[in-house]
Amino acid sequence: MSSSELEVQKAADGQQEQQVPPGVEITGSKEPEEDTNAHTKEERDFAAAEQYKNQGNEMLKTKEFSKAIDMYSKAIELHPNNAIYYANRSLAHLRQESFGFALQDGVSAVKADPAYLKGYYRRAAAHMSLGKFKQALCDFEFVAKCRPNDKDAKLKFTECNKIVKMRAFERAIAVDKPEKTLSEMYSDMENITIEDDYKGPQLEDGKVTLKFMKELMEHYKAQKRLHRKFAYKILCEIDTYMRAQPSLVDITVPDEEKFTICGDIHGQFYDLMNIFEINGLPSEKNPYLFNGDFVDRGSFSVECIFTLFGFKLLYPNHFFLSRGNHESINMNQMYGFTGEVTAKYTSAMADIFTQVFNWLPLCHCINQKILVMHGGLFSSENVTLDNIRRIERNCQPPEEGLMCELLWSDPQQWMGLGQSKRGVGIQFGPDITETFCKNNNLDYIIRSHEVKDMGYEVAHNGQCITVFSAPNYCDTMGNMGAFITITGNNLKPNYKSFEAVPHPDVKPMAYANSLMNWLA
């Protein structure tokens, strides 16, 4: 084990050498004061801070990340110049995917002690998670230079450098040209040969049928792959369909009919199957909306996305899909989907998914009263539904603006707008939600994007509901999943929580970039 790897391993255990604050002497060399048993205030604060840090470390081990953050914050209040406390809190923020806060603490750790190399690792991890690879490379390079004989440090620098060079190459060869549909690009698809030993599901006259979908799900449960010819055909059909859809899709649910809204799935195929087991297969009488983040992290993302795309083609007016922040090339390359598609099919298919994801609608409005988006609301005042309808979505998510905030923003408890804990988008308070709903004649909004213990959370006086449908997220979080049902004549949300089900022994992030596996 390399020295830096050992250092990283020690972080959560609190085994790093304690830093004695300036002016504190605990060796007894100082002349005793009148009370020889009395400690200076600095010594008492440092001892108390160490206790909070140790408690935080224990909570980090048991994945109680919010409580760990509270403990580290108390330690920092008592002793604000300790790099270890910032670095450990940064790690807890990373585990909660609060990449913006993780970055702030990484910066603070480096500022508190420029010689503390773990601070550079934390800052690099946050930059990587935000897709800022050049900034991460600077930190990896610094550590590698400080430890020229450390193989682990050199490996991290080399891997990050590969990503930076690959992205520069992709930009260099990119040319402006009229975009073709996938059907135009793959006009020879019909000539793909189906091998004699393929026994899986087949499209009927090139179309998805209910029989095909049932066979496909059983095929996937048995860990088998859909033939590439049918996979390409589904992608071509979904590309053609999505191009014709608006950025905001209006949905009408008839009076007595049920409608189901699901949150993040994140490649957890067997939990997706459990949703259908509990709530019934999609049909014209059992419509669904899946609210983004279908892929990444979970290692059955290919199975999830072809199942969802298949049902969309089978029931185009009763099965809906919204784009999430993970339906993007940065996220896919880091968190596993690109690697999974390449492993199960080809890198060319991974590129196709990037094009298809660009055309996914950004949000849906149900019966003119419920707006459903993946992330949340906006930094701009007086945003209307028509503003959303006019968004040009055929692109990678920008770092600011309406499209970015629809995919990335989060609610907060306090009033007004706040800085995003993720480093992208904003945080919005109850007053922001109330004003938006009033201006657009909405009852409430539904969003996803965040793990919740019960799979859902009701906030902002009932006007902001979060739903998350990936139980025991990444096999580590211990949360339940949930989905929401409404009826057309009763838009009051009903919640159903469910636990994770067993899946084959393939760990989450199995196909992720090697650096992201280290970060995870």
Side-chain angles (χ1 to χ4, degrees), residues 397-467:
E399 294 189 2
E400 60 184 10
L402 299 187
M403 180 174 173
C404 168
E405 290 163 355
L406 279 169
L407 300 180
W408 278 97
S409 292
D410 296 293
Q412 62 183 19
Q413 295 179 351
W414 48 94
M415 297 292 185
L417 297 172
Q419 182 181 9
S420 171
K421 62 187 179 183
R422 300 175 188 269
V424 187
I426 53 99
Q427 293 186 183
F428 57 96
D431 55 326
I432 304 298
T433 303
E434 181 181 9
T435 299
F436 178 81
C437 288
K438 181 179 179 181
N439 289 347
N440 290 282
N441 196 28
L442 299 169
D443 289 350
Y444 57 91
I445 66 171
I446 295 177
R447 40 91 62 184
S448 301
H449 197 37
E450 287 185 288
V451 179
K452 299 298 178 184
D453 288 343
M454 294 301 295
Y456 70 93
E457 181 180 77
V458 182
H460 296 183
N461 302 310
Q463 287 191 298
C464 179
I465 299 169
T466 298
V467 60

Side-chain angles (χ1 to χ4, degrees), residues 118-131:
K118 197 177 298 174
Y120 296 91
Y121 274 141
R122 295 288 182 263
R123 189 167 68 180
H127 275 138
M128 283 284 295
S129 300
L130 290 167

Side-chain angles (χ1 to χ4, degrees), residues 343-358:
K344 294 179 178 179
Y345 290 100
T346 65
S347 60
M349 184 179 287
D351 294 338
I352 289 172
F353 272 108
T354 298
Q355 178 170 320
V356 171
F357 287 162
N358 281 352

